[in-house]
Amino acid sequence: MTTSTIVVGLDGGEAGARALAFASKQAQLIEDCTLKLVYVIEWSPFSFQTSEENEQRHKRREEELSQARERIMDPAVKTATDSGLTVEGIVKHGDVADILDDLAKKYSAQQIVVGRVGLRGLKERMFGGVTARLAVASSVPVTIIP
């Protein structure tokens, strides 16, 4: 039997917590299932800066990744592993929808689970935000949790 994989998009808020709770229940029902918990710090690579500014940007980027692991990912991974689930936490910089879909492809995930409303609000999510882009363009089914 092949292990199933569910990619779960976390946002550091209630929507991500609901997505994790839903995915955890699904993983328990499936039994042989791994959760890939993903938190993405949106980061634009399109910036023209001096080498000194790029060095500082890289330092800030590493600090942001470390803080996201500590504040968001580690507690989420602990919650899921305490429930007896197999979990991997992934923190990246980049485009949220692209990274979630790329990871779903990389790990041959059966689905992506995300919360409907993230920290930026309903308007962005409904009109061109991450959730809408995933629903339209994802390579695997997307479950959107209210």
Side-chain angles (χ1 to χ4, degrees), residues 43 47-64:
W43 186 267
S47 182
F48 300 99
Q49 299 177 334
T50 67
S51 59
E52 294 82 20
E53 289 170 327
N54 281 334
E55 186 177 315
Q56 288 300 315
R57 186 177 191 207
H58 178 73
K59 182 179 176 185
R60 280 193 326 270
R61 180 178 169 170
E62 293 305 314
E63 289 169 357
E64 287 176 345

Side-chain angles (χ1 to χ4, degrees), residues 65-127:
L65 289 170
S66 178
Q67 287 177 356
R69 282 186 199 96
E70 181 181 316
R71 295 179 184 171
I72 296 166
M73 190 54 66
D74 291 348
V77 167
K78 182 175 181 349
T79 296
T81 56
D82 286 352
S83 298
L85 298 170
T86 304
V87 181
E88 179 184 355
I90 302 166
V91 178
K92 291 184 169 272
H93 270 106
D95 180 84
V96 180
D98 288 345
I99 288 175
L100 290 173
D101 191 47
D102 288 347
L103 290 170
K105 290 176 193 172
K106 177 180 178 179
Y107 294 110
S108 301
Q110 281 63 46
Q111 68 176 313
I112 298 170
V113 177
V114 293
R116 178 180 65 200
V117 179
L119 293 178
R120 291 196 176 163
L122 180 60
K123 183 177 179 182
E124 179 180 302
R125 297 293 184 212
M126 294 300 291
F127 302 104

